Amino acid sequence: MIPEERPDGPGAGEESARLEEAGSVRKGSDPLAQIPRGRPQSRRARVHQQITKELRMRTGAENLYRATSNAWVRETVALELSYVNSSLQLLKEELEELNGSSVEADRPESEGITVPLIPLGLKETRELDWSTPLKELISGHFGEDSASYEAEIKELGDLRQAIRTPNRSEVGLELLMAYYNQLCFLDARFVAPPGNLGLLFHWYDSLTGVPAQQRALAFEKGSVLFNIGALHTQIGARQDRSCPEGTRRAVEAFQKAAGAFSLLRENFSGAPSPDMSPASLSMLEGLMTAQAQECIFEGLLLPSPEAPQDCLAQLRLAQEAAQVAAEYRQVHQTMTQPPVRDYVPFPWTTLVHVKAEYFCALAHYHAAVALCDSPPAAEEDFPVLPQAFLGPPATSEPWGAVFPQEQEERRNLGKAHLKRSILGQEEALRLHAVCRALRRVDLLQAVLAQALQRSLAKYSELDREDDFLETAEAPDIQPKTQQKPEVRAPSFSRVKVTDIFQRLGPLSVFSAKNHWRLAGPVRVTRGEAGFGLTLRGDAPVLVAAVMPGGPAAAAGLQEGDYIVSLNGQPCKWWRHAEVVARLKGVGDEGVSLQVVTLLPRAEPPGTGHHRPALGGLLRIQKECGWGTPAPARASPRCFLGWSRKAKPTGRLSPQP
């Protein structure tokens, strides 16, 4: 595998974060903390010192990058940051190997030779202190004692610390998705458009290492979504593709990675860093789709007793390989266009070019095998065979209406395809030798050399001493696949989480987007006709109607009030049946109620005296997107979408 970028975060992932129903512990994988006994301590100390040195260099470069307005200086510093970022990733990879963490996940189960894939490094971030802005909101807007929410704020901080170094497995993906869902809850509860939490979110570009800062919570959400896609690429790249199950898992991982980048590209605007720009995300989406197509082809190459290796089967393999080559050619073209070419790693561009040549050569090799080694095609397959070929590249016309059936004609055409295969594999080896980073990937060189030797051996078998005629040029192979990779968006709903700040009340009422007035407690006694009010809805229960002259009206209750406390017990999350049952059980002493009334948006909290009628209140709810309150334990599915008309700040607004 080519060198992979690794996430930052010394000390990250030490604390527990909330799990859904299981209540177990979520932790990040901290390569700087996991040091088993018996390892060479001196080598670890050296790597730690180098990491500290690189971090100091990065801090100095960041300060200069932000302080200067000179374009030439900024370009030079950005280049230096890119080098520092690459060095940090390699050092952390070396440290993780020394610590022995995730060895089982990183090591393939078999030693079969497969072409290396490109995993994407995770975006790094700095530590973040949530306490000050959240405490101010809780005490100022919600009117609650912020000191009583210390545990919730710490839990949120621990969860963010853990996602800085997630395990490269499904557990790590669930951790990132859980934090993303919590961000959606935070956005819905604490952020009132067009405001923000007052926090400065600091993330590093995954491709260049250049720092980016924004106060919008959307930047945090977008960065986490990017890391979800990047983690899928790391999982897919280290699958054992020598077995059908491994290739299947790799295909799924790259499809989900492409889906994450596609979702980010379609819904995130005003990208603050190059890796999250539309051009980069389109490139990454295409790259992951091409790698999924490559894994599909590798799955077809696995030995299967049921699969007949006849002429038609070999031609289908040739078309599948041509499809992979076409995908990589398109990705390479994207990588070499501005602005992507300015920050995409050169080894990536070279490897994609190598793969385009390699799989094109494989397509011609399988075409040659179909012509020379496979049994003659059945008569009913004759109309299908010419469709596998195209004419010379300049014409792209169909090769011919008749597939050669004579042995000598098939041999000559097979030699022509082998000649193109050999030329393509030699070109792939030449490109491999140009890139210093790829020259260190011995596995890739072994794959290319093995393919070239196989083609040369096959050509020697077909070549004869009396072949004096020049070999004709072989036609191109028509790209075609039986299994096109699907772009699969992340399924956030499968990770059930509990809103950390659910004690503040249901989001339908208790959010920074709403203002309300708290009234009570008021004492309501039972009359001859009951309490004189009608209730509706759940969590919180709404006073739908008040009987004129009844006990509720005398106590000051009105239509549109939400009951939030009953006899001193908070009942923001109680269901309608539970509140009614409690009221029915009240004796002659009556009941003590505390209610809140939503205020119009234009009216500041605590100053208004107008109470909207029930119809108007329900209409306001519908216009503002307040639906039925979410249950205590649920995935925030309604808070995952973003507006396509986002402002340049990149705000991701929740869907109603």
Side-chain angles (χ1 to χ4, degrees):
M1 231 178 283
I2 64 174
E4 173 193 337
E5 300 176 64
R6 299 291 304 127
D8 193 6
E14 289 294 320
E15 301 294 337
S16 61
R18 179 176 303 204
L19 271 177
E20 55 279 6
E21 288 83 8
S24 52
V25 179
R26 286 197 187 270
K27 292 184 179 179
S29 174
D30 182 7
L32 300 183
Q34 301 173 4
I35 304 180
R37 296 180 180 178
R39 300 284 182 176
Q41 299 296 333
S42 59
R43 191 174 174 190
R44 276 198 208 89
R46 177 182 59 80
V47 176
H48 272 288
Q49 291 174 356
Q50 290 178 329
I51 289 177
T52 303
K53 178 182 177 181
E54 295 291 340
L55 288 173
R56 283 200 294 262
M57 291 179 60
R58 186 171 72 177
T59 301
E62 286 177 23
N63 294 335
L64 179 59
Y65 185 84
R66 287 193 290 265
T68 184
S69 58
N70 186 287
W72 182 85
V73 174
R74 288 177 67 89
E75 183 178 351
T76 304
V77 174
L79 182 61
E80 180 64 27
L81 280 169
S82 178
Y83 290 142
V84 172
N85 186 65
S86 300
S87 300
L88 276 172
Q89 309 306 335
L90 294 174
L91 287 170
K92 288 172 184 176
E93 187 76 18
E94 181 181 355
L95 184 62
E96 187 169 3
E97 292 176 359
L98 286 173
N99 292 338
S101 59
S102 303
V103 172
E104 294 182 1
D106 294 346
R107 184 179 300 161
E109 298 175 2
S110 74
E111 300 299 330
I113 297 180
T114 53
V115 181
L117 299 170
I118 299 178
L120 182 62
L122 273 65
K123 292 174 69 70
E124 302 176 18
T125 182
R126 287 185 176 179
E127 293 185 7
L128 189 67
D129 183 11
W130 297 92
S131 58
T132 301
L134 292 183
K135 284 182 177 180
E136 290 178 355
L137 276 168
I138 290 172
S139 59
H141 185 88
F142 293 88
E144 299 272 358
D145 180 14
S146 60
S148 64
Y149 285 85
E150 290 279 359
E152 283 88 345
I153 295 174
K154 183 178 184 302
E155 183 177 348
L156 178 63
D158 291 343
L159 180 58
R160 189 183 191 273
Q161 188 75 346
I163 63 101
R164 295 177 68 188
T165 54
N167 290 318
R168 291 174 288 177
S169 63
E170 287 296 326
V171 175
L173 287 171
E174 289 184 5
L175 179 64
L176 286 169
M177 288 187 177
Y179 179 64
Y180 183 90
N181 287 348
Q182 291 294 347
L183 290 177
C184 294
F185 278 129
L186 284 175
D187 195 9
R189 186 179 296 280
F190 291 112
V191 182
N196 55 62
L197 290 174
L199 285 168
L200 188 63
F201 299 101
H202 189 118
W203 288 82
Y204 293 91
D205 187 273
S206 173
L207 301 177
T208 65
V210 175
Q213 303 176 63
Q214 274 197 0
R215 295 191 180 275
L217 188 62
F219 181 39
E220 180 87 349
K221 293 167 68 177
S223 299
V224 174
L225 179 57
F226 183 95
N227 277 359
I228 290 173
L231 191 55
H232 274 300
T233 70
Q234 296 185 11
I235 294 173
R238 56 179 43 88
Q239 295 298 323
D240 176 16
R241 285 140 47 212
S242 63
C243 63
E245 181 62 21
T247 56
R248 183 191 64 80
R249 288 196 299 262
V251 170
E252 288 184 357
F254 287 118
Q255 288 179 145
K256 292 176 181 178
F261 297 134
S262 175
L263 183 63
L264 190 57
R265 174 180 55 82
E266 293 173 357
N267 296 280
F268 194 87
S269 63
S273 57
D275 59 355
M276 294 171 65
S277 66
S280 290
L281 293 172
S282 295
M283 179 272 293
L284 292 175
E285 181 184 351
L287 175 61
M288 300 314 150
T289 303
Q291 295 193 137
Q293 191 75 64
E294 177 182 350
C295 295
I296 291 172
F297 173 74
E298 288 178 337
L300 296 175
L301 288 180
L302 296 177
S304 176
E306 303 85 24
Q309 296 301 312
D310 55 12
C311 179
L312 191 57
Q314 287 293 332
L315 286 179
R316 284 173 177 165
L317 285 176
Q319 290 188 286
E320 291 280 354
Q323 179 69 33
V324 179
E327 298 274 0
Y328 276 119
R329 283 197 198 97
Q330 186 174 358
V331 175
H332 182 258
Q333 183 179 5
T334 305
M335 286 182 169
T336 54
Q337 298 297 320
V340 177
R341 70 181 181 190
D342 297 331
Y343 42 79
V344 70
F346 179 68
W348 288 18
T349 307
T350 307
L351 180 60
V352 167
H353 197 181
V354 167
K355 288 193 175 187
E357 296 293 337
Y358 168 72
F359 283 102
C360 181
L362 271 186
H364 287 287
Y365 174 81
H366 285 288
V369 172
L371 289 163
C372 302
D373 290 355
S374 301
E379 187 174 349
E380 59 269 16
D381 293 331
F382 286 175
V384 181
L385 298 178
Q387 299 177 12
F389 300 101
L390 292 176
T395 62
S396 294
E397 295 293 333
W399 176 76
V402 180
F403 188 80
Q405 292 299 310
E406 295 294 332
Q407 184 64 31
E408 189 62 22
E409 293 181 5
R410 289 161 62 94
R411 187 184 70 85
N412 289 333
L413 185 57
K415 281 185 61 178
H417 281 290
L418 282 174
K419 182 178 178 181
R420 291 195 62 178
S421 177
I422 292 169
L423 292 175
Q425 286 154 356
E426 288 177 342
E427 176 65 11
L429 278 169
R430 186 192 67 80
L431 293 170
H432 172 270
V434 167
C435 182
R436 183 175 60 182
L438 290 187
R439 286 202 302 269
R440 296 197 298 264
V441 186
D442 297 333
L443 182 63
L444 176 59
Q445 185 175 11
V447 172
L448 298 176
Q450 185 183 70
L452 178 59
Q453 291 302 320
R454 184 177 58 178
S455 297
L456 288 171
K458 180 63 66 177
Y459 190 87
S460 298
E461 292 179 10
L462 299 178
D463 196 23
R464 296 175 181 172
E465 294 183 0
D466 56 351
D467 284 343
F468 299 109
L469 297 178
E470 184 178 353
T471 305
E473 184 177 359
D476 290 338
I477 309 298
Q478 171 69 49
K480 185 178 180 181
T481 179
Q482 303 295 323
Q483 182 183 347
K484 186 72 175 175
E486 299 176 1
V487 177
R488 299 182 182 178
S491 179
F492 295 100
S493 59
R494 70 181 180 87
V495 181
K496 308 293 183 181
V497 299
T498 301
D499 180 10
I500 292 178
F501 296 93
Q502 66 168 334
R503 282 202 297 134
L504 290 171
L507 279 166
S508 59
V509 177
F510 300 97
S511 72
K513 302 175 181 64
N514 302 330
H515 296 291
W516 59 86
R517 181 177 60 249
L518 180 66
V522 297
R523 177 68 59 176
V524 184
T525 57
R526 188 191 303 274
E528 295 181 359
F531 291 101
L533 53 80
T534 302
L535 303 181
R536 179 181 299 174
D538 299 316
V541 174
L542 175 73
V543 177
V546 177
M547 183 183 300
L557 297 181
Q558 298 185 22
E559 287 184 2
D561 287 342
Y562 286 101
I563 301 176
V564 296
S565 176
L566 195 154
N567 283 337
Q569 286 186 282
C571 61
K572 295 175 181 177
W573 288 100
W574 288 11
R575 301 187 67 83
H576 177 271
E578 188 174 359
V579 174
V580 170
R582 293 293 184 95
L583 291 176
K584 286 182 178 180
V586 170
D588 296 335
E589 71 279 4
V591 62
S592 175
L593 298 177
Q594 198 170 20
V595 298
V596 298
T597 301
L598 286 178
L599 302 175
R601 285 185 179 271
E603 187 176 3
T607 61
H609 300 284
H610 174 68
R611 292 172 176 256
L614 175 62
L617 180 63
L618 295 178
R619 184 173 62 254
I620 293 174
Q621 283 184 299
K622 184 176 181 180
E623 292 173 354
C624 297
W626 308 331
T628 303
R633 286 191 178 274
S635 176
R637 298 178 64 181
C638 55
F639 306 123
L640 297 179
W642 301 307
S643 171
R644 292 175 181 265
K645 298 181 180 180
K647 295 183 179 181
T649 57
R651 171 179 173 80
L652 305 184
S653 56
Q655 288 181 343

